[in-house]
Amino acid sequence: MVEEAKVDSFNVPVYSTTPRELKKLVEKNGCFRIERMMDILPQENKNWPSAQTFSDHIRAATEGVIKSHFGCSEQIINHIFQHLYPKKFEDTFASSPKAMEKTTMLFVLLKRK
């Protein structure tokens, strides 16, 4: 679908921070204050979102970078996020159902200082 060299050169470093680390980073930055921060997956309801829902969230965050780097058509992007990524998500996390117990998804409302 895309050139192998472009795949090899594609790197999106992702670091998932803890709520405490996020608070310290916002304070260190100094431009914002946290108005509200909450776990949107309460402990009693730690269920993974559907593979397609998760894929849609990842698409929202990465589609522009992927299109820019690979020069992908809308058809390829759709195939990635409607078929390939949800399948990879299911294959990866089906074998680790306890992974969700340590997962936090935060809603953070920031206000500019």
Side-chain angles (χ1 to χ4, degrees), residues 15-60:
Y15 174 74
S16 298
T17 183
T18 66
R20 183 181 305 148
E21 289 171 324
L22 179 61
K23 184 177 179 185
K24 286 181 183 178
L25 289 168
V26 170
E27 289 170 354
K28 181 179 178 182
N29 175 275
C31 294
F32 300 94
R33 83 170 176 271
I34 296 174
E35 290 284 308
R36 185 184 323 171
M37 180 167 33
M38 57 189 273
D39 184 354
I40 59 174
L41 288 176
Q43 195 61 40
E44 65 276 4
N45 189 25
K46 291 285 186 176
N47 296 315
W48 284 109
S50 73
Q52 188 58 58
T53 297
F54 194 83
S55 182
D56 291 344
H57 285 255
I58 298 301
R59 181 178 186 166

